[in-house]
Amino acid sequence: MSTTDASPDLPSAIHALKLREALLLGDFTVDGLLDLLGGSAYAALARSETVPALRATRGGAALAGLVRLFLLQQPVDEAQAGAVLPLEECLADGWLVRSDGLVRATVDIRPYGGPEGQDWFIVSDLGFAVGGAGGASGQSEAVVLGVGGASTTLAGITVRTPVSAALDIGTGSGIQALHAAQHSGRVTATDLNPRALDFTRLTLALSAAPAADLRQGSLFDPVGEDTFDLVVSNPPFVISPGADARLTYRDGGMAGDELCRSLVQRAGDRLNSGGYAHFLANWEHVEGEEWQERLRSWVPDGCDAWIVQREVQDVTQYAELWLRDSGDHRGDPARYAERYERWLDEFEARGTRAVGFGWITLRKSGVDRPSVVVEEWPHPVEQPLGETVRAHFARQDYLRSHDDAALLADRFILAADVVQEQVGQPGAEDPEHVVLRQHRGMRRATKVDTVGAGFAGACDGTLSAGRILDAIAQLINEDPVLLRDRTPQALRLLVEEGFLEPVPSTDPTVL
C-alpha cells in the first residue's frame, strides 16, 4: 500500500523548503550546533542529556531559540521564533503551535551532516531526536525515533555505488532512505508503522532530497515481486517475549530471532545480480549450537555474505538493557520484576544463553561456491566502512577465481594503510614476532613469521609472488619448491583480510 497524505497530527511538507531555508540561514546545522554548544554539550545530547545544552542556549540568539524549539522541546517567545522562522507558515503547516505569546514545536528536528557535507534534517517524535529512546517512560507504541548509533552504523557500512533501485525496510524517520536517495534512481521505503512513513516524508522534504515511494507493511510484503540493487534495514531486531513486544520501533513480534532470520533469507529473492543487502541484527546464542553455524544457515542461496558480530550480552544484561530502553525501571518495581521474569523465562525455554549484535551484508553473486565469512570483531573500526565492505567482496571474487598457481603468478602491493610492528625485548637482536597492522577500515592486525614479513615488505607490485618467494628461499637456504607449496594459504589470508592487494599481471611470462 502506498501512502500519499500525512497524518493529521503531523506537519505538512507544503512549505518545507521555506522552513529549510530559514533553518540554514539561522545556522541550525551540525557545524552551527557545535559552535554554539561546544563539543561537550553536543556530545551530551547524543546521550539524552540536555542540561548542558539548556545552559548554553539561555540567551536570546536566533540559533539558541531554534535549538530550544526543535531539540530541547522548550517553549520560545513568539517574537524570537518569528525573527528567524516563517512563523505563519510553520503554524499553518503544523510545525509549531502557539499559546500565550509562546510557540512550541510539534516534532523534533535534528541537523544531520551528509557524507559530502550536505545539510540534512531528521524529523522524529518529540523527545526522540537525540540519543534514541533513552529510557523514556510512557512512550507510545508507535513512537518514531531520530538519529541513533544503530542508524549511523548502518549508514556507514552501506556500499555507496550508483544504483537504479534501493529499498529501505523499516525506514523509521527516513535516515537510510535519505542516504540512498543520493545514489539511487528510485528509493522505496517501507514500514509497518504508517506514522514512520509520514516522518520519512518530512525528513526527505526538509532535507531537499527526492521523494521516496512510501509503502506500509511488514518486511518485503509491501514490494511484491519487485527487485532491487540495494536493500538496507535497521529492523525491530530486539528479541523480546511476545507479551512485551509492544514497541513498534524495536520489537519484531516474532519468536526469538525469527524476524532477523526471515529478513535475511528473503533478501536473496529481492536482490538483482551484484546487488547488496545490509542489515543490523540480533541473534541468539543457543545451548548446544555454534552461533556461527546458526548464522550461516540464514544466508540465502546465490549470495555471498559477510557477518560481523560486534557485541555479545548474556540474557540478564540483554533484558535489563531493553527494559531500561522502554523505561520500565522507572515504574512499579513489581511490574518491572514481572517483565524481567518473562524475558528470562522466554530465553530459558528457547535455550538461549546470550544474544549477539552485529552487521550482516549479502551480495547477490549467483556463484556455485558462495563466500560466507562469519567472524567476531568487537574492536574499534573506522567508519564509514562502505568501501571496506565493497573491497571485501571484490577480494572474495579474486580469491575464488585464482588457484594456488595463479596466486603465485600474480603481483601484489602492501595496502597503503598497513604498517609493520616488531615486538620483542628491548635490545634484543631479533624481534619475537612481527605484526602487520591496518590503520583504516577494520583496523585488523595479524602476526607473521620471518618469511611473511619479508614477503609483505617486498610486495611493491614489481615481482610476482612466486619470484619473491624464490628470492626469500635463497636468502634463508630453504628449498624454493617447498616454500612455494606452503605459502599460498598464508598469502590467501593476507589478501582476504586486506593486507595485500593484487595487481594482476598483463605479462603471461611473469613467474
Side-chain angles (χ1 to χ4, degrees):
M1 163 180 159
S2 179
T3 64
T4 54
D5 299 320
S7 299
D9 63 329
L10 292 179
S12 164
I14 293 175
H15 298 102
L17 290 180
K18 191 169 184 179
L19 172 57
R20 171 183 170 79
E21 181 181 355
L23 294 175
L24 293 177
L25 286 173
D27 208 19
F28 190 61
T29 63
V30 172
D31 290 341
L33 290 185
L34 278 171
D35 289 342
L36 174 67
L37 303 179
S40 178
Y42 186 79
L45 279 178
R47 303 190 300 270
S48 299
E49 296 290 348
T50 59
V51 172
L54 285 168
R55 291 173 60 87
T57 56
R58 286 173 174 168
L63 178 56
L66 293 177
V67 173
R68 284 186 164 247
L69 265 178
F70 294 119
L71 283 181
L72 303 177
Q73 296 84 57
Q74 298 295 309
V76 170
D77 183 79
E78 186 175 331
Q80 182 184 8
V84 63
L85 295 175
L87 191 59
E88 294 309 314
E89 287 89 341
C90 287
L91 291 166
D93 289 353
W95 296 95
L96 301 175
V97 292
R98 173 193 282 142
S99 176
D100 299 327
L102 301 175
V103 291
R104 288 181 176 270
T106 61
V107 292
D108 274 322
I109 300 175
R110 177 179 175 178
Y112 180 67
E116 298 179 2
Q118 303 99 321
D119 288 313
W120 292 340
F121 299 98
I122 308 301
V123 188
S124 64
D125 267 311
L126 283 172
F128 300 101
V130 293
S137 58
Q139 58 188 264
S140 71
E141 296 180 3
V143 68
V144 177
L145 303 186
V147 183
S151 54
T152 55
T153 293
L154 179 60
I157 67 172
T158 300
V159 175
R160 301 295 176 190
T161 56
V163 297
S164 296
L167 172 63
D168 176 15
I169 299 175
T171 186
S173 53
I175 301 162
Q176 309 308 323
L178 178 58
H179 277 278
Q182 311 307 307
H183 61 102
S184 306
R186 172 175 59 89
V187 176
T188 302
T190 73
D191 205 292
L192 188 63
N193 180 6
R195 187 176 177 82
L197 300 178
D198 294 330
F199 274 112
T200 293
R201 179 187 295 106
L202 295 174
T203 289
L204 294 174
L206 200 57
S207 299
D213 179 7
L214 305 176
R215 304 187 187 187
Q216 183 184 352
S218 176
L219 303 183
F220 291 98
D221 293 348
V223 300
E225 299 301 314
D226 292 352
T227 58
F228 303 87
D229 307 298
L230 174 66
V231 175
V232 293
S233 183
N234 177 17
F237 53 66
V238 175
I239 302 172
S240 53
D244 283 318
R246 62 194 191 277
L247 299 176
T248 306
Y249 74 87
R250 68 165 211 194
D251 298 315
M254 298 185 186
D257 51 20
E258 177 61 20
L259 182 138
C260 292
R261 185 203 63 80
S262 177
L263 181 62
V264 173
Q265 286 201 328
R266 293 175 64 184
D269 292 333
R270 294 294 176 268
L271 280 176
N272 294 325
S273 178
Y276 288 91
H278 302 274
F279 308 105
L280 300 186
N282 276 183
W283 44 79
E284 294 174 299
H285 286 224
V286 178
E287 199 71 42
E289 179 182 10
E290 294 293 333
W291 68 268
Q292 295 93 335
E293 293 308 308
R294 182 181 189 84
L295 291 175
R296 286 179 184 277
S297 72
W298 291 11
V299 178
D301 293 339
C303 288
D304 293 333
W306 186 17
I307 302 172
V308 182
Q309 180 168 273
R310 295 287 288 159
E311 184 179 358
V312 181
Q313 291 183 316
D314 68 44
V315 292
T316 59
Q317 291 174 310
Y318 190 80
E320 290 164 13
L321 169 67
W322 295 111
L323 286 170
R324 287 180 175 274
D325 171 82
S326 54
D328 288 292
H329 63 302
R330 296 176 178 171
D332 177 16
R335 181 64 172 158
Y336 172 79
E338 178 187 350
R339 283 181 166 160
Y340 199 152
E341 287 275 6
R342 279 206 300 268
W343 283 60
L344 296 185
D345 287 344
E346 178 92 357
F347 286 134
E348 184 177 350
R350 296 179 58 82
T352 305
R353 54 184 176 80
V355 177
F357 167 81
W359 320 322
I360 299 177
T361 297
L362 306 177
R363 186 190 58 161
K364 189 67 171 287
S365 59
V367 299
D368 295 331
R369 295 184 297 115
S371 164
V372 178
V373 176
V374 184
E375 63 176 321
E376 186 165 18
W377 192 255
H379 312 293
V381 299
E382 183 186 56
Q383 286 274 33
L385 280 168
E387 177 56 25
T388 298
V389 173
R390 187 207 62 76
H392 166 87
F393 288 99
R395 292 194 296 269
Q396 301 307 313
D397 285 342
Y398 172 83
L399 292 170
R400 192 159 40 208
S401 64
H402 285 66
D403 60 17
D404 288 353
L407 204 65
L408 293 175
D410 261 357
R411 295 170 294 152
F412 299 87
I413 58 172
L414 195 65
D417 65 323
V418 174
V419 298
Q420 177 178 301
E421 300 174 357
Q422 294 187 352
V423 181
Q425 293 295 320
E429 184 175 346
D430 297 312
E432 294 177 9
H433 58 264
V434 176
V435 173
L436 300 180
R437 187 179 301 277
Q438 298 169 348
H439 281 258
R440 307 291 299 274
M442 294 295 286
R443 294 178 173 170
R444 298 186 189 276
T446 187
K447 187 163 62 174
V448 294
D449 59 15
T450 304
V451 172
F455 180 87
C459 284
D460 61 1
T462 303
L463 299 174
S464 70
R467 292 287 297 276
I468 293 174
L469 289 175
D470 292 344
I472 292 175
Q474 186 174 3
L475 286 173
I476 63 176
N477 296 317
E478 184 167 337
D479 186 334
V481 175
L482 293 178
L483 189 58
R484 279 181 176 240
D485 285 344
R486 67 178 176 87
T487 300
Q489 183 177 356
L491 176 54
R492 284 184 182 279
L493 182 61
L494 290 175
V495 173
E496 181 176 357
E497 295 191 341
F499 291 96
L500 295 178
E501 298 174 355
V503 182
S505 174
T506 57
D507 182 356
T509 65
V510 172
L511 299 175

